[in-house]
Amino acid sequence: MTEQVTWRSAGHTVRRDPPEKLRLFFPQELAFYLEQAGFQDAKLVDAFGKSNTAFDGRRLIAIAAPRRSQ
């Protein structure tokens, strides 16, 4: 999937960001990949600054810490 953002503002020329390639993940899939990569305590939210886990936003944000060596 690709996404390209276009910025329009009164009195300014139109600016178009370069296309971005996106990969979509299910929440459980992303948590699994983080664990396999050596992260722990993954917290998944759908908005910055909120602890909303309803996942009804446009983005999925993952916050995780590296696993500590034993």
Side-chain angles (χ1 to χ4, degrees), residues 4-51:
Q4 187 173 34
V5 177
T6 302
W7 302 87
R8 291 185 176 91
S9 178
H12 294 83
T13 58
V14 173
R15 191 185 91 198
R16 181 168 283 156
D17 289 350
E20 296 177 352
K21 292 182 180 180
L22 304 173
R23 165 102 194 269
L24 303 179
F25 292 98
F26 289 106
Q28 300 87 346
E29 181 184 15
L30 183 56
F32 171 78
Y33 285 135
L34 287 168
E35 182 180 318
Q36 293 300 306
F39 290 90
Q40 65 181 11
D41 302 329
K43 180 179 179 183
L44 303 175
V45 296
D46 66 1
F48 286 109
K50 298 179 182 177
S51 61

